[in-house]
Amino acid sequence: MKQSQGPSAKFSEPVADYLEYLQRERGRSENTLRAYDVDLRNLGQFLHDHAGDPTLKLITVQMVRDWLAYLHESEISRTTLARRISAVKNFFAWALKHELVESDPALRLAAPKKERRLPHVLQPSQINRLLSEDEAPVEDDSKAGEQSTRKDNDVKSLAVACRDKVIAELLYASGLRISELVALDIADIDFERRTLRVLGKGNKERVVPFGKPAERVIIDWIRSHRKILATESAGDALLVGVRGSRLNVRQAREVIATALKSLGDTSASGPHALRHTVATHLLDGGADLRAVQEFLGHASLATTQLYTHVSVDRLRQSYRQAHPRA
C-alpha cells in the first residue's frame, strides 16, 4: 500500500485545535506539545494509510485497537507506547467533552506499566572531577609572545569553556531541568541570596539556591566571557551560544553529554543525570523529602520518592560490604 505524506485535515485540524487548547488553557510546555503532536500524528498516519482516512466521528474502537496492534508489531519501547496511548486517550477525552465525537473510541485502551528504572547517579568523586577547575599551565618565558598570540586567537574558546562550566555547575547546584537552565535570564539571579528564579513545568515558578562554586563561575562568565559571545539577539539570556543568541536545549545537552563521556567511568549520559544526582545526594545528606520535591519542582511527591530507592539501594550495598553478619 502506498504511504501518504501525512494525516489529512480530517484528523490534523482537530489535533491542531487540541494542541492550541493545551498551550493556552493548560499551559503545557513546547516540549510537551511537540510530543503530543508526534504521537497523535502517528495515529493519524495509521488511520489514513490503513483505515480509509475516517473523519473523527467515524473512528471506531476497532480502528484504535488495530493501531495499538501496529505499535506492538513495531517493537517500540514500553515508555514510548505508554506515552502514545496516553496522548490518544487524552485527545479523545477532550474531543468527547467538546462534542467532536459521540463516544470515546480510546476509553478502554490500557497502557503498559512503565519500566521503573532507577536513575544513573554520579558518585561524589565523579562530580568533583566533572566540576574541577583546571589550573592554567605555567608557560616558558621564551614562548611568551607565541602564547600571547595563541590566547588572542583562542579567546572565544575560553569563553565557551567558561560557559560550559556554568552549565555543569548550575545543573548540579540547583537540580534544574535543561529547559529551565537555558531559559534563565541574568535578572533571574539573586546574587545576594544566591538563588535563581525558575519557571518550571506548567509555568510554575520556584526559587532554588546555588552554592559558592556556582556563584564564582557565573560571575566570571558574566563579567569576563559572556560579552565575547553574546550579540544583541541574546537579550538578557544568561547562557549564549557561539553564534551569539540564547543557548538552546540541544546545544546544552551536547555540552553535558561530552563532559560525562569524558569521565570514562559512568553510564550516565545526559543532563538529567545531574538532576538525579543532586536529588540523591541531598537525600543521602539528610534533606527532607518534601524540601527536595520543592527544590526539583516535582508536582507529585511520588516522583521525588524514586530517589529514596536509590539511597536505600546504596544503604543495602554498604550494609552487605560492611556488616559482619550481612
Side-chain angles (χ1 to χ4, degrees):
M1 182 180 292
K2 185 179 179 180
Q3 299 292 306
S4 67
Q5 294 301 311
S8 71
K10 294 178 185 179
F11 190 79
S12 59
E13 285 181 359
V15 166
D17 292 338
Y18 175 58
L19 295 177
E20 184 177 357
Y21 157 78
L22 290 179
Q23 181 181 39
R24 293 193 174 191
E25 297 190 30
R26 302 299 298 274
R28 295 293 186 250
S29 70
E30 286 298 323
N31 289 339
T32 299
L33 294 174
R34 276 194 292 270
Y36 267 93
D37 188 30
V38 168
D39 294 336
L40 292 172
R41 278 178 179 274
N42 183 271
L43 172 60
Q45 184 72 61
F46 175 85
L47 294 171
H48 188 284
D49 294 339
H50 302 281
D53 195 19
T55 62
L56 207 60
K57 284 189 175 182
L58 293 180
I59 296 173
T60 65
V61 173
Q62 189 58 51
M63 290 176 186
V64 177
R65 284 177 176 168
D66 289 344
W67 168 72
L68 185 57
Y70 166 78
L71 291 182
H72 281 291
E73 290 172 3
S74 301
E75 298 183 350
I76 61 175
S77 70
R78 259 200 216 174
T79 302
T80 301
L81 181 60
R83 193 194 69 218
R84 288 193 173 165
I85 291 173
S86 176
V88 167
K89 286 174 70 71
N90 290 336
F91 169 66
F92 277 109
W94 168 85
L96 182 64
K97 182 178 179 180
H98 289 79
E99 300 181 349
L100 300 178
V101 294
E102 294 175 0
S103 61
D104 185 347
L107 185 62
R108 297 189 181 279
L109 279 187
K113 290 184 178 180
K114 292 182 180 179
E115 297 172 290
R116 195 169 180 83
R117 295 179 181 176
L118 294 179
H120 295 293
V121 174
L122 298 174
Q123 301 297 323
S125 60
Q126 292 171 317
I127 284 291
N128 289 337
R129 283 160 48 211
L130 184 73
L131 305 179
S132 65
E133 297 182 21
D134 297 326
E135 295 182 5
V138 177
E139 294 295 331
D140 190 329
D141 288 343
S142 64
K143 298 181 180 179
E146 179 185 333
Q147 177 66 11
S148 177
T149 302
R150 190 181 305 126
K151 283 183 178 180
D152 290 340
N153 294 335
D154 207 31
V155 67
K156 197 169 185 178
S157 295
L158 292 174
V160 169
C162 181
R163 181 206 63 194
D164 292 352
K165 283 185 180 180
V166 173
I167 293 172
E169 280 283 1
L170 275 183
L171 285 175
Y172 179 68
S174 297
L176 300 180
R177 300 177 178 94
I178 196 69
S179 57
E180 295 170 343
L181 177 74
V182 298
L184 286 174
D185 289 334
I186 294 173
D188 294 326
I189 307 171
D190 185 335
F191 285 104
E192 185 177 345
R193 294 181 175 84
R194 284 210 302 272
T195 58
L196 303 169
R197 186 175 68 248
V198 180
L199 192 63
K201 285 187 175 180
N203 290 325
K204 292 180 180 178
E205 189 176 286
R206 70 185 189 278
V207 175
V208 295
F210 59 89
K212 288 184 178 180
E215 179 186 38
R216 285 196 296 270
V217 295
I218 294 170
I219 290 175
D220 185 31
W221 161 248
I222 293 174
R223 286 181 179 174
S224 306
H225 300 284
R226 182 183 179 277
K227 58 190 174 186
I228 295 167
L229 299 180
T231 62
E232 190 175 339
S233 63
D236 193 37
L238 173 63
L239 299 170
V240 295
V242 292
R243 295 184 179 179
S245 57
R246 183 185 293 272
L247 192 73
N248 63 42
V249 168
R250 180 186 58 78
Q251 293 164 334
R253 283 186 188 279
E254 288 176 356
V255 168
I256 293 301
T258 300
L260 290 173
K261 188 175 181 180
S262 70
L263 290 177
D265 58 357
T266 177
S267 56
S269 60
H272 230 63
L274 295 183
R275 184 168 160 87
H276 296 324
T277 298
V278 65
T280 304
H281 289 180
L282 285 170
L283 290 167
D284 284 347
D288 178 75
L289 189 63
R290 291 221 174 254
V292 176
Q293 177 191 6
E294 185 177 346
F295 176 78
L296 296 175
H298 284 156
S300 169
L301 189 64
T303 307
T304 316
Q305 284 176 327
L306 173 64
Y307 300 109
T308 64
H309 298 302
V310 179
S311 297
V312 169
D313 276 5
R314 283 186 173 187
L315 175 60
R316 286 175 180 158
Q317 184 179 359
S318 298
Y319 179 86
R320 285 195 296 267
Q321 291 176 346
H323 198 288
R325 297 178 69 84

